[in-house]
Amino acid sequence: SIVDGAAKLAMAGGVDPVLKEKEINTKEKVYETFKNADEVSTQLALYCILFVRNWASFEIAAAAACWCVIFMVPVHLRAAPHFIMAFLRLSIGLNDANTVFSFPWGADTVVKLGGAKKGQVSDAVVGKTPPPRPNVFGSFASHMVFGLVDLIIAILCLAQGDVPTEFSPPL
């Protein structure tokens, strides 16, 4: 995704029924769709793809940071990274809950783009199909579970206290 953010967007074509039906499942199809949109939509797409590329850079940096913690920080001093990962995973889970269930967490993107709240009917613009709610329940569930696991581990790290180990550097 760092090299080409459209690759990440093309992945949605494998799970989203609207994109599947239109066969938008490759980078080329993503670009073709955006090029054929009106000028404003194409300009917004440029920023979306840029943000997806930046997101990929963040993901790689966060993963590298996690590996550094695993190999360089004694277990009893790892509470902070676990709290950070818990926040990251739980906030992503809440974003997914907002998308799947209309959970009140920030802007409901589906509603903002003309769709309806979960269980309601859309006030769609005539001649335009409102966006359906993507089914990202699996992402919601996994982020909430692993976020809670990280939170528990962080609390256990704090509860362990400052226990020196043979891996701890001398202070």
Side-chain angles (χ1 to χ4, degrees), residues 80-92 143-144 146-152 154:
H82 283 291
F83 278 121
I84 292 166
M85 291 306 296
F87 173 80
L88 176 63
R89 289 179 173 148
L90 292 172
S91 65
I92 291 171
H143 282 102
M144 295 306 282
F146 288 115
L148 291 173
V149 167
D150 265 316
L151 185 60
I152 291 166

Side-chain angles (χ1 to χ4, degrees), residues 55-126:
W55 169 26
S57 298
F58 167 79
E59 285 180 331
I60 291 171
C66 287
W67 284 107
C68 286
V69 168
I70 289 168
F71 290 114
M72 300 171 76
V73 177
V75 173
H76 67 280
L77 298 176
R78 293 184 187 171
H82 283 291
F83 278 121
I84 292 166
M85 291 306 296
F87 173 80
L88 176 63
R89 289 179 173 148
L90 292 172
S91 65
I92 291 171
L94 290 172
N95 291 340
D96 292 338
N98 175 269
T99 302
V100 175
F101 312 115
S102 294
F103 183 78
W105 170 260
D108 188 334
T109 310
V110 174
V111 171
K112 294 279 188 186
L113 293 174
K117 285 200 172 286
K118 184 78 171 175
Q120 295 181 354
V121 178
S122 172
D123 296 331
V125 176
V126 177

